[in-house]
Amino acid sequence: MNPSNLPTNWVLRVSAAMALSSAASAQIFSDNQTDIPQGGPNNNSLSENVDFGDVDLDGDFDAIFADGGDGGDDQNRIWINLGGLQNGAIGIFQDQTTTRFPVFQDDSRDIEFGDFDQDGDLDIYSSNTAQLSNQGNRWWINNGGLQGGTLGFYVDQTSTRWSGLGGAGSSIPPGALIAGSFIDWSCDCDFGDLDNDGDLDLVHSSYGGAFGGEVPTRLFLNDGAGHFAEFNPSGFQLPGNNINNGNPALWCQGTQSANTTNATGANADIASSALDIDVGDIDGDFDLDILHGAREQLPRMFTNRLEENGGTALGFRDVTGSAFPAGYSAGNGHYEQEMGDLDNDGDLDIYGLNWLIVFGFDDQTLRNNGAGVFSILEVLGASGGDDNEGDFFDYDNDGNLDLFVAAFGGANRLYDGNGTGNLTHLPAGIDGQGFTSLDADCCDVDGDLDYDVIQSNDGGARNQLFENVTVANDTRAPYIPHVENDGNRAAATGTFPIRAQVYDNAPYYITWYNEAHLDVEVAGFDIGDVPMASSAGQVFRGLMPANLVGAVSYRASSADQYGNRGNSAWQNYTATSVAFTSEYGTGSPGSTGVPTITGLSVPFAGSTLRLGLSGGANVGYYLGYSLASIPTGYLPGFGNLNLDPLTLVLIPGALDAGGEAVFSANLPGTLVPGNSLYLQLFTFDGVGGDLLGTSRGVQLTFQ
């Protein structure tokens, strides 16, 4: 799943919620078979994975399923939430695969939402495996937006979305190309803005034939329009499917060395039997690192070196040997892991499912020290069974992350988090046990302010909707402990990125849909919001105007789907510039003194000019501009005039209760540096017969 659009206009419905006398002894999730499709082919299939997103932008979450897996090729499916545009009840799903999805049989292990062409709607990527028959991975594009078709309906564009497969700079051998894609064994792929350029890139894992763990994970970078080329700075092309010890590590520093513990950049292991991968900022530098699962080997960690390279050159280092303590994992069968802030200290901790295969399939949690170094926190009670998926969410809305575990065999489990990192098993929390589950995702499907679960099951069993039947509502605001600040800078043209870490008590793939922005002030003037979008992981990104000048303050702000808003602490820097304004002439006071004009941004050609205006509270004003100034003249009965009255243009507005306003105008790109414009502010106080205040004249010189 990936960020794009926040569900809005929730229609809250009254559910058959039961008050809980004790979370440990009462049912928390009910197996709801009424509100989802039943029977094949709409259900009862071979489902490997589920993802949530609002495909038609009507304000509710729809669900998609990756079908196939060990059972062979199958049709991926889409369930549409019947609220919103469907004019039905929110939280009731209908299978609409035959009308919305391409007709395509494949062996899908994972399916992900992402607005990778940046047109405001959710597209789809499916990870497929050649375990049973040769096939590649596929791109399905939402037909709305740039496509100009019907929103929420999908077309296959696999052959046009890959760029340069098998060619120069690609590690993929030409013999692996097939049907516009490449032969692979993929079980999980994740989107994330790896290179901090504002679009979604792809981390594409592979477990290799027969789970051999010898086919490399690959990275693909987005060109901004939704076309993906392999990131392979080594330039090395494999002769076959497998990568061998001593080969360049493609996208990572050093040479390939299976199971290496070297963490200096000399060696890396980018090939293991990954069934799950995760991206997130583990070390607090705001770029996305990669937690790489492995079924047959030990899980691995790769840090993004973009910031260490000055923000200009993407690179990765295998830090498995320094990030994890001795004994962090054992045996094989590590199907999955998740990252989330378990102890509410503002960094990503780890839940490792089946990470301790010794006398059982024990799960454990690891605590981050804030710099990307982990220590073992606890081994989870009642976790000795063979599990397949775990997701963090806050089932009881107490602000702490809880854990839902979907079992490959036996009973699903629910754990209650205490906010300090510990998870307590709630043995009676879930009904509807006994299926072979391969995935479960959490979101509020019915708009009743708590988080439900949809679980995908294998072997022809029905997929399940576990409805949260508590009476707790989400009133918890997101928290933003860290915001990027590179310090003082010179004003310049264009923009520069500001990133922030946003945490919430929702699953991370739901937090991606939060509305987020930067509140920005210059010299005490509020210049408005700068929108932010999720980069995936816990990172959000906004583009700050680079031409601001003076004392700049900003903070990140995020609101969840229920309107709960959290703000970061304010950040500050000073932006310097050559002088571009000068005052002349004389002003005349209104009832609150002489009005003033403050330049808040350098007037570069093609930029946005921002001026801070100050005068009386809640009064009207006219901002006058002219191509020429005059010696101070006098308006009989009013005040001083410093502009050429023959070329004077007046722009009306109103000051706020604090006596301030910000005037903004987009400057044409044809402006000539060195040319000047002349400005004066006129305020009407409404006192003493509309007493007029006039500022001094301001000469504005274009840069």
Side-chain angles (χ1 to χ4, degrees):
M1 174 177 285
N2 215 72
S4 177
N5 298 283
L6 175 71
T8 56
N9 301 321
W10 286 77
V11 179
L12 303 184
R13 70 176 194 173
V14 178
S15 63
M18 50 189 291
L20 299 182
S21 59
S22 169
S25 61
Q27 178 184 307
I28 297 168
F29 288 93
S30 173
D31 184 8
N32 182 339
Q33 301 182 46
T34 302
D35 294 344
I36 60 174
Q38 297 295 317
N42 301 334
N43 203 337
N44 297 78
S45 186
L46 307 167
S47 294
E48 293 269 338
N49 183 262
V50 58
D51 200 6
F52 289 115
D54 185 2
V55 303
D56 49 7
L57 306 184
D58 66 347
D60 53 37
F61 282 109
D62 310 298
I64 55 175
F65 297 88
D67 281 10
D70 294 336
D73 294 347
D74 200 359
Q75 170 73 53
N76 294 335
R77 309 208 69 83
I78 182 168
W79 290 359
I80 296 295
N81 198 318
L82 293 184
L85 291 174
Q86 280 58 241
N87 295 315
I90 188 172
I92 297 178
F93 291 88
Q94 182 182 77
D95 186 287
Q96 296 187 8
T97 302
T98 58
T99 58
R100 291 182 183 263
F101 268 6
V103 178
F104 208 92
Q105 299 278 321
D106 53 15
D107 197 346
S108 296
R109 294 294 181 100
D110 182 38
I111 194 163
E112 297 284 341
F113 278 122
D115 180 14
F116 46 76
D117 58 358
Q118 301 191 86
D119 65 349
D121 55 37
L122 290 174
D123 310 301
I124 293 173
Y125 181 76
S126 64
S127 301
N128 301 325
T129 179
Q131 187 70 28
L132 301 178
S133 62
N134 286 339
Q135 57 187 281
N137 311 282
R138 309 206 70 82
W139 300 100
W140 288 359
I141 307 300
N142 196 318
N143 224 6
L146 291 173
Q147 280 56 244
T150 304
L151 184 67
F153 292 75
Y154 289 84
V155 293
D156 187 287
Q157 292 187 0
T158 299
S159 62
T160 60
R161 293 293 168 175
W162 292 118
S163 179
L165 295 182
S170 173
S171 71
I172 300 169
L177 302 183
I178 183 172
S181 186
F182 61 98
I183 296 171
D184 196 45
W185 296 264
S186 182
C187 193
D188 186 42
C189 295
D190 276 354
F191 287 116
D193 185 2
L194 301 176
D195 51 4
N196 191 27
D197 65 352
D199 54 37
L200 295 176
D201 309 306
L202 180 70
V203 183
H204 179 91
S205 72
S206 180
Y207 57 81
F211 300 98
E214 297 174 325
V215 176
T217 284
R218 291 180 168 95
L219 309 184
F220 295 89
L221 300 184
N222 192 333
D223 67 354
H227 305 97
F228 291 81
E230 185 178 356
F231 173 66
N232 178 22
S234 76
F236 183 73
Q237 187 171 66
L238 302 179
N241 291 317
N242 295 347
I243 189 170
N244 300 316
N245 287 342
N247 290 156
L250 302 184
W251 49 270
C252 198
Q253 290 180 342
T255 57
Q256 172 68 18
S257 178
N259 305 313
T260 182
T261 58
N262 176 275
T264 68
N267 299 112
D269 183 3
I270 64 169
S272 57
S273 52
L275 299 186
D276 182 64
I277 54 171
D278 301 271
V279 298
D281 175 18
I282 66 162
D283 49 9
D285 61 358
F286 300 101
D287 53 29
L288 295 178
D289 311 301
I290 300 172
L291 174 57
H292 195 286
R295 192 184 88 156
E296 305 297 325
Q297 302 83 24
L298 300 185
R300 307 195 68 82
M301 183 69 78
F302 300 87
T303 54
N304 192 327
R305 304 285 291 177
L306 183 65
E307 290 306 301
E308 288 82 352
N309 296 334
T312 59
L314 180 64
F316 288 84
R317 177 177 292 179
D318 187 337
V319 296
T320 304
S322 59
F324 292 128
Y328 74 98
S329 185
N332 54 48
H334 329 112
Y335 293 123
E336 207 262 343
Q337 64 280 325
E338 291 289 320
M339 293 196 288
D341 188 5
L342 273 173
D343 49 7
N344 294 323
D345 65 348
D347 56 39
L348 290 176
D349 308 304
I350 295 174
Y351 160 70
L353 180 148
N354 292 1
W355 271 28
L356 297 177
I357 311 295
V358 184
F359 300 106
F361 294 87
D362 286 334
D363 305 345
Q364 71 169 338
T365 55
L366 295 95
R367 173 176 284 153
N368 192 339
N369 71 351
V373 177
F374 295 85
S375 59
I376 294 174
L377 179 57
E378 68 173 343
V379 177
L380 299 191
S383 67
D386 192 1
D387 303 321
N388 205 78
E389 168 76 7
D391 266 17
F392 288 130
F393 71 134
D394 183 8
Y395 83 87
D396 54 358
N397 290 306
D398 63 354
N400 303 318
L401 288 182
D402 309 311
L403 176 68
F404 183 97
V405 180
F408 186 75
N412 296 335
R413 297 191 310 284
L414 182 66
Y415 291 86
D416 183 56
N418 67 356
T420 64
N422 301 114
L423 295 165
T424 301
H425 180 223
L426 305 179
I430 312 167
D431 69 4
Q433 309 299 303
F435 295 115
T436 301
S437 174
L438 297 180
D439 188 37
D441 274 12
C442 312
C443 83
D444 183 5
V445 301
D446 50 10
D448 64 352
L449 283 77
D450 56 33
Y451 297 99
D452 313 295
V453 181
I454 286 185
Q455 178 171 289
S456 59
N457 296 318
D458 198 11
R462 61 182 174 87
N463 297 327
Q464 294 169 277
L465 166 60
F466 291 111
E467 183 182 1
N468 190 330
V469 294
T470 68
V471 293
N473 294 333
D474 186 353
T475 60
R476 303 284 176 166
Y479 63 103
I480 308 173
H482 307 295
V483 181
E484 189 172 25
N485 189 340
D486 290 333
N488 298 339
R489 58 190 300 122
T493 58
T495 59
F496 65 94
I498 295 289
R499 292 167 292 181
Q501 293 184 0
V502 178
Y503 298 87
D504 203 359
N505 62 329
Y508 64 91
Y509 46 80
I510 299 302
T511 302
W512 288 342
Y513 294 97
N514 281 13
E515 183 277 326
H517 65 263
L518 295 169
D519 297 318
V520 184
E521 295 182 356
V522 183
F525 290 91
D526 182 356
I527 70 165
D529 299 341
V530 171
M532 305 185 80
S534 174
S535 297
Q538 82 278 41
V539 177
F540 277 69
R541 177 183 187 270
L543 290 177
M544 182 79 79
N547 68 332
L548 302 180
V549 65
V552 181
S553 300
Y554 63 93
R555 68 179 181 182
S557 181
S558 176
D560 64 20
Q561 65 202 58
Y562 310 116
N564 302 312
R565 180 170 295 281
N567 300 310
S568 74
W570 285 95
Q571 302 290 314
N572 303 285
Y573 70 90
T574 299
T576 58
S577 171
V578 298
F580 61 92
T581 62
S582 60
E583 292 188 314
Y584 65 93
T586 304
S588 49
S591 62
T592 58
V594 176
T596 61
I597 300 174
T598 304
L600 306 179
S601 64
V602 180
F604 297 109
S607 70
T608 298
L609 171 67
R610 295 176 174 88
L611 302 172
L613 311 179
S614 60
N618 298 314
V619 302
Y621 72 78
Y622 282 98
L623 177 64
Y625 69 88
S626 170
L627 297 177
S629 67
I630 61 170
T632 299
Y634 186 68
L635 299 174
F638 293 99
N640 292 323
L641 177 67
N642 298 300
L643 301 178
D644 179 357
L646 297 179
T647 63
L648 176 62
V649 178
L650 296 174
I651 301 173
L655 303 180
D656 62 18
E660 294 182 345
V662 173
F663 172 79
S664 298
N666 295 323
L667 299 178
T670 55
L671 287 178
V672 178
N675 286 357
S676 292
L677 190 68
Y678 299 89
L679 306 164
Q680 190 171 10
L681 179 63
F682 306 90
T683 59
F684 298 89
D685 293 356
V687 178
D690 288 334
L691 180 65
L692 180 69
T694 65
S695 72
R696 296 185 66 192
V698 174
Q699 181 178 355
L700 180 74
T701 303
F702 300 119
Q703 304 299 301

